[in-house]
Amino acid sequence: MHNDRDVMEQRLARVLDERIRPAVHARSVPLDVRIWNVPGEPVPVSEGLSAPYGPARVGDHWGPAWSTSWFRVSGTIPAQWAGERVEAVLDLGFSTHSPGFSAEGLVYRADGTAVKALNPRNTWLPVTQQAAGGEEFTAFIEAAANPVVMHTAPDELTFGPTPVGGRAHWLGGNGYRTGEPLYRLRRLDLAVVDREVHELVQDLDVLGQLMHELSPDAPRRWQILQAVGYALDAIDLQDVAGSAAAARTRLAPALAAPAHASAHRVTAVGHAHIDTAWLWPLRETVRKVARTVSNVTQLMDDHPEFKFVMSQAQQLAWLKEHRPEVYARAQEKAKTGQFLPTGSLWVEPDTNITGGEALVRQFVHGKRFYLEEFGVETEEMWLPDTFGYNAALPQLMKLAGVRWFLTQKISWNTTNKFPHHTFWWEGIDGTRIFSHFPPVDSYNGELSGAEVAHTVRNFQDKGPANHSLIPFGYGDGGGGPTREMLSRAARLRDLEGSARIEIDTPTAFFEQAHAEYERNGGAPVWSGELYLEFHRGTLTSQLATKQGNRRSEHLLREAELWAATATVRHGVPYPYEELDRLWKTVLLHQFHDILPGTSIAWVHREAEETYAAVARELEELIGSAQRTLAGTGDGHVVFNAAPHVRGGVPALGAAPRSDSPEAPVAPVAEGDGFVLDNGVVRVTVDARGLITSAYDLVAGREALAPGAVGNLLQLHQDFPNQWDAWDIDVFYRNTVRDLTEAESVTSTGNAVRVVRRFGDSRVEQTLSLPAGSRRLVIDTVVDWHEREKLLKAAFPLDVRAAHSTAEIPFGHVERPTHTNTSWDAAKFEVCAHRFLHVGEPDWGAAVVNDSSYGHDVTRDVRPDGGTTTTVRVSLLRAARFPDPDQDQGTHRLGYALVIGADVTDATREGYHFNLPERTVPGASPVAPLVTVDHEGVVVEAVKLTDDRSGDLVVRLYESRGTRAHATLTTGFPLASVFATDLLERPLDDPTSHRHVDDDVELALRPFQILTLRLRATPSG
């Protein structure tokens, strides 16, 4: 017998799609349909239910972008359907590609309770398991007409400028939505569910997909092909329902063949990645969460084996606030072990840009929510989709009680394939966390044959390990698993030719994977940051969003510090509620598509408004506390929130001061330029406004390379191959314009002012040198109107630096300045927080900043034999997708060159630059609540405990990467002290500290983070 494999496979595809699938709901009657288009923003459910509905019918178009339409569907179950299972088929016309992206609806009963969601590949609604015949049926659908912004067809992405991301574009002058309808009603019916046909579809679906993934030389592929052929022969195409059972009988032997003993094991975890904002605004995510949770809890009723993880506490908090009845269902299913709060974080944040203390609070608020609401101590950091992972995270995870880490984004690397899928990740302090990258390379799995086969082929740790995890369910915009996915899982549990699939929890997977490695000699180790070789532009896109976050993080530090000080010193009530709310607002906006600058315009314009409101409220909290602390009097008190003494003002305290030691020195005209000289450094600015010399007068050394100029603004063409706001591709370096022409270079009395024009933009820079400081400050105002350009500021330094040192949360990382390996070369744009330092063993320089994160460092050997190490900071981008007006407008930002600095100096200057002194009328000095006698031990937070006991919490860390022995002294009688985890719970840590009188003697390992809970001796 001759076998024509292609013919048979084509036959299966057509018969399945055109005959068998339609037969699942073949017997149907149309529903009566009525519509109400919401004028403006979404309305409460009660208003939607009682709205004035008008007539509608299948074929009608509906829904301009971002609008909401409510549908009322009603009908009567025919008498002849008695005893049958009946569903409603509600196809609103959403695009069937990209099912987890933007378009969804939520179905309600007449009493306003949610039933389940509708999305492009989930259009069914349960009506009755066993009809009596003659029952009336009515349901309401809240349908969101969200545009599919990025996808035009399956596997086709578009990155062209689009106006659909702007909120104002779609609001007409009368407040009604404008624009053409996006969708067209396809089918709104009551239908009998033919269960046998439904199961036949699942049988053929699984076997067909498995067959395609097996080698044409594999006997198993031909065996499946033969079984499928026999089954298709058994089907009467004019009576699919009547012949489905016979077809299934012929497939049964193929489905009963067990997997090989050595088959790869897969733990399947139900999941719905819901971007807290991205190609939709925050308000839409609130609704997406309700839809997805309604979906999965309904699915749990029919599938007790189904388990689903929910990984962002913020989203559950929204659900509790806005849809308490859906939230109650989640809590109910949590008790059965099916709904699994996981992830341990408030949102899934960006972990490159988010500051250290903010990352602490992500864990604190996330874990505390799960504990208080679900009684669950989460042990996983579930972060599948963010753009790189800083090397402090393992220690933070351990201090939060997290044992396991999951992500998959490193699979997007464009240069190097990561060598492991299950491994120990070691942080900068030596902490290790057991980690897993799902080899399926997706967080939106469908459990398809292609995905399972890719998982097996791709798994990097074959031999010592044979177990991986697949998160399955439609996502990005949510939706979650479907009953079809659960059917695949059931059939793939033990099926020849496939990996073994078992639905279980993340904890079960990690415990089993860890035990497997322990039996086989232990897991491999990856030390240091997990650098994503992709999406490097996220360090720079949407400057205003990044500035709002940076400023908010520092304002929150100040608010907690001064409020705690005012409480301890004067008994002023501590603003617990205000700080809790403001922290959660800032944490929300650290989501990995908001803070990186990769959301639509709507999201970023809203974020800017939110940050402004946060700043106003925090400034009031800070001002109120400082006024109390400064007292009355005719003088002024200077407050220093930085962790290092400054100008005679103690760290974390305040002191009266009449002079201003950091006042800039006046520039002196020299030739066609100016000189700034404060006796420590001398800076020469030429007629072009460029720095031609930055001389360290103490060391007798020039910072700039011979013939080079500093603060050289450079403009690059910036048009990546795709993912515009996300990516900077390496070829951007091939096209550069040095901005050397100045419109004016003038003295302003205490600074040099330089004005330049280029393209449609204007930049004004003010260069100043504070008295006694090594920091040349460059205050920059840019009126930015470029398109697809990248603006950098370059400092070519006369140092032979083997590596750069960049601040990350709670420490720093060193990266090679050479490109010896492909791993080194791929790091052509890197993250640094407040500083980036380069130097030789006895001398160096740093660039500090107040709102920039993207940097690059290159090294060249000059003809004279010397080495130039060039540090550049990325200032602005002008990508056009997904926000065509990204970064357009006026921005003010600051950066500075610190001349003759080591890493300790850079750390101190970074804090000083971001925490400027505040001068308040009054006469009372403010002694710090705590002081530390070691410059390398940095106090990151001073606050009152969250349990409102009145105890003080101090979080500090060793910043140099060395061992540190220091003494912390309290400004109050100290009754007790103990170390805590991040949630302020006692920690068994006998070696890090010792209580002696009112002192705490500290012994810290390199980069150790230590949280201390201090209790004052009661007065009287």
Side-chain angles (χ1 to χ4, degrees):
M1 181 177 68
H2 297 285
N3 289 296
D4 194 329
R5 177 172 52 83
D6 291 340
V7 169
M8 183 61 71
E9 291 173 357
Q10 292 167 11
R11 179 189 180 195
L12 171 61
R14 185 176 186 193
V15 172
L16 187 57
D17 288 342
E18 296 185 20
R19 289 293 187 270
I20 305 177
R21 291 189 200 277
V24 173
H25 291 115
R27 289 183 287 164
S28 63
V29 295
L31 288 163
D32 179 71
V33 186
R34 300 184 69 78
I35 188 172
W36 176 60
N37 296 312
V38 179
E41 287 293 281
V43 300
V45 174
S46 58
E47 187 174 341
L49 297 176
S50 60
Y53 286 80
R57 61 183 180 181
V58 171
D60 285 355
H61 290 85
W62 66 278
W66 305 118
S67 67
T68 299
S69 294
W70 280 76
F71 295 94
R72 185 174 68 207
V73 294
S74 57
T76 303
I77 298 176
Q80 59 269 33
W81 290 1
E84 301 278 12
R85 177 176 175 174
V86 178
E87 294 178 347
V89 181
L90 306 172
D91 188 341
L92 303 179
F94 297 136
S95 302
T96 54
H97 62 76
S98 313
F101 272 67
S102 299
E104 298 161 294
L106 183 56
V107 182
Y108 299 89
R109 300 181 182 92
D111 64 2
T113 57
V115 184
K116 70 178 289 288
L118 305 172
N119 63 49
R121 296 186 192 171
N122 191 344
T123 61
W124 62 279
L125 177 76
V127 175
T128 178
Q129 291 290 326
Q130 188 171 6
E135 301 102 313
E136 296 295 324
F137 166 78
T138 300
F140 296 81
I141 308 168
E142 181 189 24
N146 300 333
V148 183
V149 174
M150 188 171 65
H151 288 251
T152 55
D155 301 319
E156 289 186 21
L157 305 179
T158 178
F159 301 102
T162 172
V164 300
R167 178 180 183 182
H169 178 82
W170 298 100
L171 278 174
N174 60 1
Y176 282 73
R177 295 294 180 189
T178 61
E180 294 298 317
L182 298 179
Y183 301 114
R184 180 174 175 270
L185 298 177
R186 285 200 193 100
R187 183 179 182 184
L188 295 158
D189 289 345
L190 280 175
V192 171
V193 183
D194 192 309
R195 303 184 196 194
E196 197 70 29
V197 175
H198 174 79
E199 294 303 318
L200 175 60
V201 170
Q202 312 316 312
D203 292 346
L204 290 170
D205 175 66
V206 166
L207 288 174
Q209 291 189 36
L210 174 59
M211 177 175 61
H212 278 289
E213 297 305 318
L214 295 172
S215 168
D217 298 327
R220 175 63 168 161
R221 178 163 184 162
W222 291 97
Q223 292 162 6
I224 293 174
L225 187 72
Q226 183 179 54
V228 167
Y230 289 158
L232 294 178
D233 290 341
I235 293 172
D236 182 344
L237 298 182
Q238 280 67 51
D239 184 15
V240 174
S243 55
R248 293 197 70 209
T249 298
R250 296 191 177 186
L251 292 173
L255 288 164
H260 295 302
S262 61
H264 187 73
R265 295 173 57 211
V266 171
T267 295
V269 178
H271 176 51
H273 186 62
I274 305 177
D275 283 314
T276 298
W278 181 29
L279 303 179
W280 45 85
L282 288 168
R283 66 90 154 147
E284 193 55 34
T285 311
V286 174
R287 301 201 294 176
K288 284 177 176 291
V289 172
R291 297 174 195 135
T292 296
V293 175
S294 297
N295 252 3
V296 299
T297 52
Q298 190 279 331
L299 204 56
M300 289 169 185
D301 290 340
D302 297 331
H303 297 271
E305 80 285 2
F306 172 43
K307 295 176 176 62
F308 176 83
V309 299
M310 192 82 176
S311 60
Q312 300 186 69
Q314 168 68 86
Q315 296 182 359
L316 287 168
W318 277 336
L319 194 66
K320 180 182 179 182
E321 177 185 358
H322 296 281
R323 300 309 311 272
E325 82 286 1
V326 180
Y327 185 68
R329 284 275 283 160
Q331 290 185 307
E332 168 196 329
K333 295 301 183 182
K335 292 175 182 176
T336 68
Q338 293 177 278
F339 190 92
L340 306 169
T342 192
S344 304
L345 299 160
W346 187 248
V347 297
E348 293 180 6
D350 176 275
T351 63
N352 278 326
I353 304 169
T354 300
E357 188 61 26
L359 285 171
V360 168
R361 307 308 173 92
Q362 289 284 354
F363 284 109
V364 168
H365 288 287
K367 293 205 65 159
R368 188 169 287 150
F369 182 89
Y370 293 140
L371 279 165
E372 293 174 353
E373 295 293 324
F374 292 89
V376 172
E377 175 85 37
T378 53
E379 293 186 311
E380 309 87 8
M381 183 169 174
W382 183 278
L383 196 59
D385 180 31
T386 197
F387 312 136
Y389 312 84
N390 77 72
L393 281 172
Q395 185 178 186
L396 290 174
M397 283 188 256
K398 184 176 181 180
L399 289 171
V402 169
R403 300 172 63 198
W404 324 113
F405 173 57
L406 179 140
T407 188
Q408 66 82 46
K409 202 65 173 187
I410 298 296
S411 70
W412 287 43
N413 275 5
T414 55
T415 305
N416 298 284
K417 185 177 179 65
F418 196 79
H420 308 294
H421 281 106
T422 308
F423 60 101
W424 288 102
W425 180 22
E426 181 179 294
I428 54 173
D429 73 310
T431 299
R432 292 179 177 179
I433 291 290
F434 195 72
S435 305
H436 181 66
F437 295 175
V440 69
D441 292 344
S442 174
Y443 47 81
N444 293 328
E446 300 180 33
L447 299 181
S448 68
E451 289 174 347
V452 174
H454 176 74
T455 293
V456 176
R457 290 192 298 265
N458 190 42
F459 187 59
Q460 294 287 95
D461 303 296
K462 297 180 179 75
N466 193 33
H467 193 180
S468 65
L469 183 148
I470 294 180
F472 72 97
Y474 292 130
D476 280 324
T482 64
R483 60 185 179 185
E484 289 78 15
M485 295 176 196
L486 296 180
S487 292
R488 288 175 195 151
R491 286 161 175 80
L492 294 172
R493 184 178 179 88
D494 189 14
L495 183 62
E496 183 184 355
S498 171
R500 285 190 173 91
I501 307 290
E502 182 175 8
I503 294 176
D504 213 331
T505 68
T507 297
F509 162 76
F510 276 109
E511 288 177 341
Q512 293 164 20
H514 179 260
E516 180 180 51
Y517 255 126
E518 290 302 298
R519 291 192 299 270
N520 292 288
V525 177
W526 180 271
S527 180
E529 69 180 329
L530 293 168
Y531 176 90
L532 178 64
E533 298 172 356
F534 204 43
H535 290 359
R536 301 167 182 90
T538 59
L539 300 175
T540 305
S541 291
Q542 297 286 2
L543 175 61
T545 299
K546 290 174 171 59
Q547 287 183 319
N549 177 76
R550 175 78 73 89
R551 188 68 181 130
S552 296
E553 289 180 344
H554 289 84
L555 287 171
L556 282 161
R557 171 196 174 93
E558 289 193 84
E560 289 184 334
L561 168 64
W562 302 128
T565 307
T567 300
V568 172
R569 297 277 189 255
H570 298 280
V572 175
Y574 190 74
Y576 291 102
E577 289 82 4
E578 294 91 335
L579 288 169
D580 181 82
R581 173 174 46 79
L582 290 165
W583 262 116
K584 287 175 179 174
T585 299
V586 173
L587 298 180
L588 163 61
H589 287 82
Q590 289 168 344
F591 179 74
H592 64 252
D593 276 309
I594 303 178
L595 184 51
T598 52
S599 289
I600 56 174
W602 187 336
V603 174
H604 289 291
R605 300 303 87 75
E606 220 169 44
E608 291 165 28
E609 296 169 4
T610 299
Y611 283 130
V614 166
R616 286 192 297 271
E617 193 167 351
L618 286 171
E619 290 284 4
E620 178 54 39
L621 290 175
I622 293 166
S624 176
Q626 289 181 335
R627 288 189 294 272
T628 298
L629 291 166
T632 58
D634 296 331
H636 289 85
V637 177
V638 177
F639 284 79
N640 175 22
H644 307 90
V645 65
R646 173 165 48 186
V649 180
L652 315 176
R657 195 173 73 195
S658 57
D659 62 341
S660 181
E662 287 201 354
V665 299
V668 176
E670 184 175 285
D672 294 330
F674 298 92
V675 172
L676 296 162
D677 188 333
N678 65 2
V680 180
V681 298
R682 183 177 65 236
V683 176
T684 304
V685 181
D686 71 6
R688 301 169 297 171
L690 300 172
I691 301 169
T692 56
S693 175
Y695 195 79
D696 183 342
L697 293 168
V698 177
R701 175 164 177 168
E702 174 62 52
L704 297 180
V709 293
N711 192 38
L712 174 64
L713 297 180
Q714 296 182 300
L715 193 66
H716 292 271
Q717 185 168 284
D718 181 21
F719 189 63
N721 289 338
Q722 55 180 359
W723 299 103
D724 294 32
W726 291 258
D727 282 356
I728 292 176
D729 286 338
V730 68
F731 53 74
Y732 86 89
R733 290 178 171 173
N734 300 343
T735 307
V736 62
R737 174 187 170 192
D738 292 344
L739 303 179
T740 58
E741 297 180 1
E743 181 177 278
S744 64
V745 180
T746 58
S747 170
T748 64
N750 60 359
V752 177
R753 178 175 170 269
V754 182
V755 177
R756 305 184 193 280
R757 292 187 184 273
F758 54 94
D760 296 320
S761 302
R762 178 182 185 274
V763 58
E764 178 179 325
Q765 294 193 302
T766 304
L767 283 64
S768 60
L769 184 62
S773 172
R774 293 180 171 273
R775 187 174 75 228
L776 174 67
V777 177
I778 303 165
D779 183 75
T780 303
V781 177
V782 186
D783 187 17
W784 179 249
H785 297 285
E786 303 309 297
R787 301 286 184 177
E788 295 162 351
K789 295 291 192 295
L790 169 63
L791 182 66
K792 283 181 170 272
F795 294 90
L797 302 172
D798 188 14
V799 294
R800 181 167 177 79
H803 60 262
S804 64
T805 302
E807 186 186 40
I808 65 169
F810 297 105
H812 59 258
V813 293
E814 295 178 349
R815 302 182 180 102
T817 55
H818 60 68
T819 55
N820 283 359
T821 72
S822 58
W823 294 89
D824 303 324
K827 296 179 181 179
F828 60 81
E829 184 83 0
V830 297
C831 182
H833 280 229
R834 286 167 291 222
F835 75 81
L836 189 142
H837 176 272
V838 294
E840 297 166 359
D842 62 343
W843 192 92
V847 175
V848 299
N849 72 84
D850 69 4
S851 55
S852 301
Y853 296 90
H855 297 74
D856 72 279
V857 182
T858 55
R859 191 179 72 181
D860 297 288
V861 176
R862 305 187 299 268
D864 67 1
T867 299
T868 300
T869 302
T870 301
V871 175
R872 299 200 304 166
V873 57
S874 300
L875 304 180
L876 280 164
R877 297 189 68 210
R880 303 196 67 193
F881 181 86
D883 176 3
D885 295 319
Q886 177 193 305
D887 285 317
Q888 299 298 297
T890 301
H891 305 271
R892 182 173 184 176
L893 57 101
Y895 54 94
L897 176 65
V898 186
I899 302 158
D902 60 19
V903 172
T904 301
D905 298 325
T907 302
R908 180 187 63 250
E909 294 295 336
Y911 274 101
H912 284 178
F913 203 58
N914 284 268
L915 289 162
E917 295 173 324
R918 295 175 180 268
T919 302
V920 178
S924 300
V926 181
L929 293 179
V930 295
T931 59
V932 179
D933 66 355
H934 193 301
E935 194 171 25
V937 176
V938 174
V939 175
E940 182 66 8
V942 177
K943 60 186 286 291
L944 295 192
T945 52
D946 293 339
D947 64 8
R948 307 195 181 197
S949 66
D951 292 351
L952 188 73
V953 166
V954 176
R955 190 160 13 258
L956 49 82
Y957 68 100
E958 195 291 311
S959 67
R960 293 174 171 174
T962 64
R963 294 187 181 273
H965 294 274
T967 299
L968 180 148
T969 301
T970 60
F972 51 86
L974 182 62
S976 65
V977 57
F978 54 87
T980 75
D981 67 4
L982 299 186
L983 276 73
E984 301 169 7
R985 302 175 296 195
L987 201 62
D988 183 15
D989 185 13
T991 63
S992 66
H993 68 282
R994 190 165 67 94
H995 182 189
V996 181
D997 299 326
D998 291 338
D999 292 340
V1000 183
E1001 295 180 355
L1002 305 174
L1004 303 179
R1005 66 179 183 271
F1007 297 123
Q1008 182 178 354
I1009 303 166
L1010 179 63
T1011 304
L1012 296 173
R1013 183 169 181 147
L1014 310 170
R1015 178 165 297 168
T1017 302
S1019 59

